[in-house]
Amino acid sequence: MDRHTRNVQQDVRELGALLGDVLEDQTSRSAFETVESCRQAAIDYRSDEIETRDPLVGELEGLSPHHQRVVARAFTTYFELVNLAEERERVRTLRSQSQAGVLEDGLEAVAAELGDRDPETVRRVLDDVLIEPTFTAHPTEARRKTVKSKLRTIATHIETLDERLLTDKEKRQVWRDIDAEVTSLWQTPQVRSRQPEPEDEARNVQWYLENTLFDVVGEVYDELDDELKEALADHIEVPKLFEFRSWAGSDRDGNPYVTPAVTATTLERQRSVVLDRYRSQLDRLTGVLSQDGSRIEVGSAFQESLDRDRDRLPGTARTAEQRYPGEPYRQKLELMGERLDRVGDVRPGGYEDADELRDDLSVLAESLRANDAESVADAHVDPISRRVDTFGFSLASLDLRDHQQKHTGAIADALEREGIDYRSLSEEERVEFLTDAVLQDEPVIDLSDVEALSSESARVLRLFDDLADWQREYGTDAIDTYCISMTEEPSHVLEVLFLADQAGVVSLPEHAGIDIVPLLETEYALSGARRIIGTLFENEAYAQALSSRGGTQEIMLGYSDSNKENGFLAANWSLYKNQRRLGDICADHDVTMRLFHGRGGSISRGGGPMNEALLALPNDTVSGQVKFTEQGEAIAEKYGNPRIAERNIEQMLNAQLRARLDAIETPEEEVHEEWIEAMDMMADAARNEYRDLLDTDGFVRYFEQATPITVIEDLNLGSRPASRSDERTVEDLRAIPWVFSWTQSRCILPGWYAIATGMDAYLDAGGSVDVLREMYEEWPFFRTTLDNAAASMSRTDLEIASLYADIADPDLRDRFFPRVSEEYERANDLLARISSQDSPRTRERGENLELRNPYLDPLNLLQVHLLEHDDRSDLEERTLRLTVKGIAAGMKNTG
């Protein structure tokens, strides 16, 4: 039986036709014909019907500013609608493959693999795994929230058409509603008029957690439980496997707008959101659990729990008994609801933490099972318990983050008042001082006294003072991690431990209320991992803090800045080697390592399919616990649609369970010494070439002239400034606008540049293509690295990129563009020789872009035309910014 009434071609065709009608209605027939003329000229060129782009270029350059804007809006809206059609096709494919039992990377497959192992191994794998997707505070989402909301409504209507059997009248009504939404979308401003605030970013993250993930997670647990029951002879209880975290509203690194007040508001809103969701779940459960108390035996544990609640809340108990006489489960749920309502309230009786709610649900489920109502417990109570396990009372735990220089400066300023010249101390002296200060009972500084301190130092001290209050109010789990950007010395970590100790968040040896997470992102920090991490593990104060946190050390790896500093190939190799090095250091000190992968949405910033990335990690680094950032348009793509969100979570879980099983059975990954030597040689040559390109005089000016970086900096994508300083340097530019700019110009240099130079250096030194092919076939790291480079190259279009290069000063263009083009062509040839053929993922992306290119070309050419002129009118400036949004939608990527 066909479960769908439509296909992607029909969706694209009908949505495109509807857009054409709206365009004509909202503008004019001539405007519609202009857009059609541009579209046809682009198609004719891409299909070799005509030899040059001159007709398209002439059409665009001859347009009035008004018609230029209509063209930009038309193609931008087209891509937004086409993206919905492709999302719907992904859902169709998932449903069809699931029904046919051929869904790859799903839970059935991993359950079958675990079914071949002994029960102890299965229990160990499940107990070890904890997956922590972390939503970042720099979403880089090119679309406005209002636009996303309208697109989501259209997507819901398309789902209705596709999955329901409708009468002709009902179909007409649905299409009328789609028409109304597309019309409204056309009339809605696409470009933000103001910079989003941190609260906006926090609400954006909360939307996905509340409206998609809260419901989906329970379904994933249910499916895994069912599959394990089928595959295993003995029933094994599935433990907590997921926990969601967020930086939105708490990440201060480079963002002066994230104040303590913002963090407090975020904590309060997240708790309110999740408690409301639990309350609605209990209300629905009340409708289900209508059992007659005279016909069941609730059991002593349930009765004792009910009696305690009656004593705790006598007024509510009387109301519950009057409302539900003789119905003990409903009485209990009424009391549980009241306890939820009193969380954070001045009135007594509220739940102290999520564990108490989970205990009540457990007692309820046990009573139901004792009364032969196991199916009721399975279907209605257990899913709520899973959600409480996953989301607690915080929805998503917040990570604090700031730059190490801020902590050093604040401590130095505060200690100066105590007569201590912290700035003049050597690294060893700083470590000794901080250790002694943490271990002594008396405080050294008063965090609440910020008079005469700089604003930055006062901000840091207030934050730690407030942290103690937040943990008391919302629970330690709500905000229990502190990440330190640009960690390069042991003292940078001990400084945060010292500040937390002065705040009372840490009281050694009994209690440490935070995990302190060094972010290693520079080559100096990564290569000095043993110096940094080893020193900490051997430090008396830090060892006590680590012990009180269960002996698990979280270490964050910065993919973005590492790539921007070293180039794609060298950065990937450095990260791989240093992950193994970190694993060795933790093993030497009997510490469990949790790697936190600071991945971006784009390939160059660590992006790509998460399941492939997890399976490509070195075995000796896979402890079972893993954390990674989710950001930008990837959040909407992965978690906007519930079915796609469920699929992504299943794939993550499949990959991490398999990776942990493999690590247990094969602790040391077999990597031939010949492969390591080859990678060392390739990475060194690639790094030198990449750094030489960036350090060549004039390159920064070329980048500024040959990409729309100046436009992107003013796009109001996020609350954080685009640059760390007012200087135009690659080092100071943040990784997101760096990648975004190259993506817009279709020269995605950060995702592949210097890979050819690296491989050529190896081959010129006597290396063999056959060895590289062997590495590709047998080594997941190397295969994933090359596949990701190929994916970036498939999205690169040098013919379009050359038009952007032509905007630059002629001497700069002649110096850099041929160099970049030659590297690209050589890499293309080498990758084809090594991998023999494109990977399925690369082929799919290439084919998809072939279909999109005729619609991207008018936007790119219009953007180039507008960038060529410095004296743009306000209307032309708005159109230019709109082309950035349209190209991002067409490429399905920003940075």
Side-chain angles (χ1 to χ4, degrees):
M1 174 185 172
D2 194 344
R3 283 162 175 78
H4 304 97
T5 64
R6 301 173 62 83
N7 57 51
V8 66
Q9 292 83 6
Q10 182 181 6
D11 287 339
V12 170
R13 184 176 63 253
E14 294 183 2
L15 286 170
L18 175 60
L19 175 60
D21 292 341
V22 169
L23 189 160
E24 185 172 352
D25 290 343
Q26 296 296 311
T27 56
S28 65
R29 180 66 189 176
S30 65
F32 169 79
E33 289 174 348
T34 296
V35 172
E36 278 297 292
S37 177
C38 292
R39 184 179 73 90
Q40 193 57 54
I43 291 173
D44 288 346
Y45 178 76
R46 287 284 182 174
S47 59
D48 296 325
E49 295 293 325
I50 56 177
E51 294 183 357
T52 81
R53 284 198 170 95
D54 289 347
L56 177 57
V57 173
E59 179 93 50
L60 291 169
E61 292 183 351
L63 295 178
S64 68
H66 169 73
H67 278 84
Q68 287 176 347
R69 185 158 181 80
V70 169
V71 168
R73 176 173 285 277
F75 285 102
T76 297
T77 307
Y78 172 80
F79 279 125
E80 289 172 334
L81 296 177
V82 167
N83 289 344
L84 295 183
E86 291 185 354
E87 177 186 275
R88 172 98 305 255
E89 183 65 8
R90 288 175 65 192
V91 172
R92 287 188 194 102
T93 301
L94 289 175
R95 296 184 78 217
S96 298
Q97 290 179 346
S98 177
Q99 179 63 21
V102 295
L103 194 62
E104 295 182 356
D105 304 327
L107 300 182
E108 182 179 0
V110 73
E113 192 169 345
L114 290 171
D116 295 333
R117 275 41 175 209
D118 63 89
E120 287 307 309
T121 298
V122 177
R123 286 192 184 92
R124 182 180 174 189
V125 169
L126 291 171
D127 287 341
D128 287 349
V129 166
L130 179 65
I131 303 171
E132 298 184 78
T134 303
F135 298 99
T136 70
H138 32 277
T140 66
E141 173 64 76
R143 294 171 298 180
R144 294 179 62 212
K145 183 179 179 181
T146 301
V147 170
K148 287 194 297 181
S149 176
K150 294 182 183 301
L151 292 172
R152 186 50 46 203
T153 300
I154 296 169
T156 302
H157 290 320
I158 298 171
E159 178 182 340
T160 299
L161 289 170
D162 191 37
E163 295 187 12
R164 288 180 54 192
L165 291 175
L166 303 175
T167 65
D168 291 343
K169 177 182 177 181
E170 290 169 335
K171 287 180 183 177
R172 286 194 299 271
Q173 290 171 337
V174 173
W175 274 110
R176 178 202 62 197
D177 293 342
I178 295 176
D179 189 320
E181 284 296 333
V182 174
T183 300
S184 179
L185 180 64
W186 182 270
Q187 296 175 341
T188 298
Q190 287 273 355
V191 179
R192 293 187 181 98
S193 59
R194 67 170 180 87
Q195 186 175 15
E197 298 175 353
E199 290 93 336
D200 299 323
E201 295 168 341
R203 280 191 289 267
N204 179 60
V205 166
Q206 288 160 16
W207 188 93
Y208 294 102
L209 290 162
E210 177 187 4
N211 294 287
T212 302
L213 291 168
F214 187 86
D215 296 318
V216 161
V217 163
E219 295 169 11
V220 172
Y221 274 115
D222 286 346
E223 183 175 348
L224 179 63
D225 200 37
D226 290 343
E227 296 297 346
L228 289 175
K229 285 177 182 176
E230 287 286 327
L232 304 176
D234 300 326
H235 175 67
I236 293 180
E237 189 71 27
V238 177
K240 174 181 175 179
L241 300 170
F242 280 97
E243 179 178 293
F244 294 94
R245 305 189 69 90
S246 176
W247 285 9
S250 59
D251 176 13
R252 285 157 171 72
D253 182 22
N255 194 336
Y257 308 113
V258 180
T259 63
V262 168
T263 304
T265 299
T266 302
L267 286 164
E268 177 59 37
R269 186 187 299 113
Q270 289 190 172
R271 182 171 70 178
S272 177
V273 163
V274 78
L275 291 178
D276 284 348
R277 288 306 311 266
Y278 293 146
R279 192 65 164 96
S280 65
Q281 298 264 306
L282 294 186
D283 289 344
R284 281 197 289 271
L285 195 55
T286 299
V288 174
L289 302 188
S290 54
Q291 282 83 350
D292 184 346
S294 66
R295 301 176 61 185
I296 60 173
E297 180 58 52
V298 295
S300 59
F302 178 89
Q303 190 60 53
E304 289 169 6
S305 176
L306 180 59
D307 290 343
R308 283 194 299 272
D309 279 353
R310 285 170 171 165
D311 292 340
R312 185 183 287 118
L313 302 168
T316 305
R318 286 192 297 271
T319 301
E321 289 168 8
Q322 292 168 3
R323 183 176 297 170
Y324 304 117
E327 297 178 281
Y329 293 152
R330 284 180 161 177
Q331 292 176 22
K332 175 64 177 174
L333 288 167
E334 186 80 3
L335 290 159
M336 289 168 66
E338 180 64 22
R339 294 194 70 190
L340 273 178
D341 291 343
R342 295 191 182 198
V343 171
D345 200 320
V346 294
R347 296 172 298 169
Y351 285 113
E352 290 294 324
D353 52 41
D355 288 342
E356 290 190 350
L357 174 58
R358 187 167 45 246
D359 290 343
D360 273 352
L361 290 166
S362 177
V363 166
L364 193 56
E366 288 172 10
S367 179
L368 286 165
R369 290 189 168 95
N371 284 283
D372 298 323
E374 183 168 355
S375 61
V376 178
D378 289 346
H380 298 288
V381 182
D382 290 352
I384 306 176
S385 294
R386 295 294 193 194
R387 292 179 179 106
V388 175
D389 268 338
T390 304
F391 299 100
F393 280 177
S394 56
L395 189 63
S397 299
L398 294 186
D399 286 8
L400 293 162
R401 184 174 77 131
D402 211 338
H403 197 287
Q404 55 88 2
Q405 290 178 349
K406 300 294 180 13
H407 311 129
T408 303
I411 289 172
D413 287 349
L415 289 177
E416 189 175 359
R417 298 186 305 192
E418 306 298 328
I420 301 170
D421 186 5
Y422 184 77
R423 286 186 175 87
S424 69
L425 300 181
S426 67
E427 171 62 20
E428 291 75 15
E429 290 169 334
R430 289 184 180 186
V431 168
E432 182 180 2
F433 169 80
L434 293 167
T435 303
D436 291 343
V438 171
L439 291 175
Q440 78 174 31
D441 292 333
E442 292 300 314
V444 179
I445 59 176
D446 181 359
L447 297 180
S448 64
D449 181 8
V450 294
E451 281 190 35
L453 294 182
S454 69
S455 59
E456 278 195 354
S457 295
R459 187 168 174 256
V460 171
L461 297 191
R462 284 197 194 98
L463 169 67
F464 281 89
D465 203 21
D466 288 338
L467 176 57
D469 294 334
W470 293 332
Q471 290 198 344
R472 281 189 292 269
E473 171 69 18
Y474 300 101
T476 300
D477 291 346
I479 184 164
D480 66 347
T481 298
Y482 200 107
C483 184
I484 309 165
S485 298
M486 288 292 173
T487 301
E488 295 192 327
E489 302 293 347
S491 66
H492 297 158
V493 177
L494 292 174
E495 284 168 352
V496 171
L497 181 64
F498 167 76
L499 289 167
D501 173 73
Q502 301 302 292
V505 172
V506 168
S507 179
L508 299 180
E510 295 84 10
H511 174 71
I514 57 170
D515 287 326
I516 303 176
V517 182
L519 169 49
L520 309 180
E521 44 196 330
T522 65
E523 185 60 30
Y524 174 75
L526 287 165
S527 61
R530 186 169 287 276
R531 171 180 54 83
I532 300 169
I533 306 301
T535 299
L536 291 170
F537 289 166
E538 293 165 7
N539 179 273
E540 183 180 0
Y542 194 80
Q544 288 183 19
L546 190 61
S547 176
S548 72
R549 298 293 293 176
T552 296
Q553 175 64 54
E554 184 175 308
I555 303 169
M556 186 173 183
L557 301 174
Y559 286 66
S560 301
D561 284 296
S562 178
N563 180 287
K564 188 155 66 71
E565 179 187 16
N566 302 296
F568 177 78
L569 187 65
N572 274 274
W573 181 232
S574 176
L575 287 163
Y576 179 89
K577 288 195 302 181
N578 283 295
Q579 286 177 63
R580 300 191 72 177
R581 183 180 301 162
L582 289 167
D584 290 342
I585 296 167
C586 289
D588 290 345
H589 292 84
D590 196 26
V591 170
T592 300
M593 179 175 68
R594 176 169 60 238
L595 284 177
F596 183 5
H597 302 275
R599 294 161 45 96
S602 60
I603 295 295
S604 59
R605 298 183 55 239
M610 178 57 66
N611 53 317
E612 293 181 14
L614 292 174
L615 289 168
L617 295 175
N619 279 14
D620 43 358
T621 70
V622 181
S623 66
Q625 299 186 39
V626 67
K627 187 173 173 181
F628 47 84
T629 52
E630 297 277 34
Q631 55 185 281
E633 66 287 336
I635 295 177
E637 186 173 338
K638 289 182 179 182
Y639 303 112
N641 183 292
R643 288 190 176 122
I644 292 173
E646 183 177 0
R647 170 64 170 158
N648 272 286
I649 292 174
E650 286 179 359
Q651 286 182 304
M652 290 177 201
L653 188 51
N654 170 293
Q656 190 64 1
L657 289 170
R658 288 168 56 200
R660 182 55 186 154
L661 176 62
D662 193 30
I664 289 172
E665 296 181 338
T666 312
E668 289 290 333
E669 182 182 20
E670 183 180 358
V671 181
H672 301 309
E673 190 62 34
E674 184 181 21
W675 297 356
I676 294 174
E677 292 173 358
M679 277 304 310
D680 281 337
M681 187 179 298
M682 289 189 286
D684 286 345
R687 180 186 295 105
N688 291 337
E689 168 61 22
Y690 176 82
R691 288 308 318 175
D692 185 68
L693 175 72
L694 267 60
D695 294 339
T696 298
D697 183 50
F699 178 76
V700 173
R701 281 188 293 125
Y702 173 75
F703 166 66
E704 188 171 30
Q705 294 174 16
T707 74
I709 176 60
T710 55
V711 184
I712 286 168
E713 286 177 322
D714 294 329
L715 269 180
N716 293 328
L717 289 180
S719 67
R720 195 170 68 160
S723 236
R724 292 184 173 90
S725 74
D726 294 331
E727 306 244 345
R728 169 73 76 222
T729 66
V730 173
E731 288 72 24
D732 282 332
L733 189 71
R734 296 195 183 281
I736 293 169
W738 164 252
V739 178
F740 195 175
S741 301
W742 290 113
T743 303
Q744 285 279 306
S745 65
R746 300 298 297 276
C747 181
I748 311 178
L749 176 152
W752 52 262
Y753 189 80
I755 195 169
T757 296
M759 290 190 284
D760 278 341
Y762 165 73
L763 294 173
D764 291 345
S768 165
V769 171
D770 289 337
V771 171
L772 295 179
R773 287 175 179 154
E774 179 184 88
M775 292 164 65
Y776 182 84
E777 292 296 327
E778 299 180 20
W779 192 10
F781 159 76
F782 191 67
R783 181 170 59 253
T784 301
T785 300
L786 292 198
D787 282 352
N788 283 337
S792 287
M793 294 180 71
S794 74
R795 301 167 74 86
T796 295
D797 187 322
L798 286 184
E799 189 175 351
I800 293 292
S802 70
L803 302 177
Y804 285 83
D806 289 343
I807 305 174
D809 294 340
D811 63 317
L812 295 177
R813 190 232 188 266
D814 293 343
R815 198 184 315 167
F816 293 107
F817 189 70
R819 179 174 177 178
V820 171
S821 300
E822 181 189 357
E823 183 73 27
Y824 175 87
E825 298 296 349
R826 285 168 35 233
N828 230 358
D829 292 341
L830 285 165
L831 289 179
R833 290 171 62 192
I834 292 165
S835 62
S836 299
Q837 60 179 359
D838 291 341
S839 70
R841 176 161 59 87
T842 303
R843 276 202 310 277
E844 180 183 348
R845 286 184 174 178
E847 291 165 359
N848 184 274
L849 267 177
E850 282 184 20
L851 296 173
R852 287 169 171 258
N853 277 331
Y855 300 84
L856 275 164
D857 288 352
L859 287 166
N860 279 120
L861 294 174
L862 180 56
Q863 187 178 92
V864 167
H865 172 65
L866 292 169
L867 285 170
E868 287 175 326
H869 303 286
D870 294 329
D871 56 343
R872 294 183 291 268
S873 66
D874 288 344
L875 179 57
E876 288 173 321
E877 193 66 41
R878 291 198 300 273
T879 300
L880 177 57
R881 295 169 71 189
L882 184 55
T883 63
V884 173
K885 301 294 182 89
I887 294 168
M891 296 289 288
K892 299 179 78 170
N893 197 271
T894 55

